[in-house]
Amino acid sequence: MTPVRTFSMYALICFSLIISGCATTAPSQTASRQPAKIALVLGAGSSKGFAHIGVLKILETSRVPIHLIVGTSVGSFVGSLYANGYDAYALQKIALSLERSDIAELTIPDNGFLKGERLRDYINTKLQHAPTGKPRIPFYAVATDIKSGESVVFKTGNIGMAVQASCAIPGVFQPARFSGASYVDGGVVKPLPVDVARQYGADIVIAVDISSGIDQIAPTTTMETIMKSIQIMYDRMSQPSILQADVVIRPVVNFVGSADFSHRNEAVMEGEKAALAVMPQINALLARLRQEGRLP
């Protein structure tokens, strides 16, 4: 083989490698510019959940884009309404006028003191009168299949039934029974379901943890004892999920008892304060995503 032909062959091989390299790097550059998906995860915590509304007020006024909402227990209650058209200020109005009798009906204790049907009907009635009349944000409610012990994610179907299942605190609410299964509170397995948000494509997860800080109120009734026990469980089980979130908002609501409606306004304010405290962190993430061309 002549030197000229040898040189030509090596030149052709080098050129082919350069072209091949360009072909393999181009898709990764394109992939990095895929639109980012930001998830809001609203955790369990019974009456402490009024703080979720304060968080939503700050995120809304700060124009933080939310592409999906995942909620467990009270997080599913608040999240279902927000995802379906009620803005944060409308939610605050609902919260301040909410009575226990609107969402809970006592029954003869049989695997729970409360049926949960009134909660289901309350959500469905509210959604019939929702401002938009249709979901504006994809919503996922997390419950627990009491037979298998596995978490279940409701993303379609009757939203009131999904919230009923997600909020069915064992011993307080009777299990939600439908579709041949029985469901209890999602917080039994996932009080802060960050992994569910990741499962459904979230790139950035903003998690609201209302389980931290056990209240110092000594329970005096059977229901209060159950609720306090559940609160302690939420707090312990949320810790691993906190490490998986990009931003964690932790309202200081340890003064709110598990069934306490008397401090709802203060809980909303604590949600606002906690959200404001992490807005620099959220804004930095949004700026990075816009610089990458992944957010408008």
Side-chain angles (χ1 to χ4, degrees):
M1 184 178 292
T2 66
V4 173
R5 290 184 63 187
T6 302
F7 177 79
S8 299
M9 183 179 296
Y10 281 121
L12 181 61
I13 292 171
C14 291
F15 181 73
S16 299
L17 289 173
I18 291 171
I19 295 298
S20 175
C22 292
T24 56
T25 56
S28 64
Q29 291 173 353
T30 302
S32 68
R33 292 192 179 92
Q34 290 296 315
K37 186 180 287 188
I38 299 173
L40 178 65
V41 174
L42 302 177
S46 304
S47 294
K48 300 175 189 293
F50 289 114
H52 286 321
I53 297 170
V55 171
L56 285 167
K57 286 175 66 178
I58 298 304
L59 297 182
E60 190 174 282
T61 56
S62 301
R63 299 185 181 278
V64 175
I66 299 172
H67 304 108
L68 65 123
I69 296 175
V70 181
T72 286
S73 199
V74 68
S76 76
F77 182 93
V78 175
S80 68
L81 296 173
Y82 190 76
N84 283 274
Y86 288 95
D87 65 26
Y89 290 88
L91 284 183
Q92 183 173 14
K93 184 176 180 181
I94 290 172
L96 295 180
S97 64
L98 186 68
E99 300 294 339
R100 288 191 187 88
S101 58
D102 293 333
I103 57 174
E105 70 283 56
L106 287 172
T107 186
I108 297 173
D110 177 20
N111 208 4
F113 293 90
L114 308 175
K115 287 185 177 181
E117 295 174 359
R118 191 168 293 177
L119 171 62
R120 175 199 66 200
D121 295 341
Y122 180 86
I123 291 292
N124 284 336
T125 298
K126 286 294 182 186
L127 296 187
Q128 288 172 8
H129 303 292
T132 63
K134 61 180 180 180
R136 61 175 181 171
I137 303 172
F139 169 70
Y140 306 88
V142 180
T144 302
D145 185 320
I146 194 60
K147 182 178 179 179
S148 68
E150 298 295 326
S151 64
V152 178
V153 180
F154 294 95
K155 54 184 183 293
T156 58
N158 186 293
I159 296 176
M161 293 172 71
V163 172
Q164 177 190 359
S166 185
C167 292
I169 299 171
V172 177
F173 283 92
Q174 294 178 353
R177 298 181 175 91
F178 50 86
S179 302
S182 295
Y183 303 99
V184 296
D185 187 279
V188 170
V189 178
K190 295 182 186 295
L192 194 66
V194 173
D195 61 331
V196 174
R198 300 287 188 198
Q199 177 186 343
Y200 286 97
D203 300 292
I204 298 295
V205 176
I206 301 171
V208 186
D209 175 27
I210 54 172
S211 68
S212 60
I214 306 301
D215 67 67
Q216 301 301 305
I217 303 169
T220 58
T221 67
T222 299
M223 188 175 293
E224 287 178 356
T225 300
I226 294 171
M227 296 291 282
K228 182 67 176 284
S229 301
I230 294 291
Q231 180 188 1
I232 294 169
M233 180 188 73
Y234 288 160
D235 178 57
R236 301 298 183 266
M237 292 181 63
S238 292
Q239 300 310 309
S241 296
I242 287 171
L243 300 176
Q244 300 173 30
D246 297 282
V247 179
V248 180
I249 302 175
R250 306 181 84 166
V252 180
V253 285
N254 58 328
F255 61 90
V256 181
S258 297
D260 180 8
F261 274 42
S262 65
H263 292 99
R264 63 186 96 182
N265 194 50
E266 293 95 323
V268 172
M269 291 171 60
E270 289 298 330
E272 294 176 21
K273 286 166 58 178
L276 281 170
V278 300
M279 276 310 303
Q281 185 181 353
I282 293 175
N283 285 331
L285 283 171
L286 297 180
R288 189 197 76 199
L289 292 172
R290 291 189 175 106
Q291 187 175 28
E292 293 173 355
R294 302 184 65 196
L295 275 183

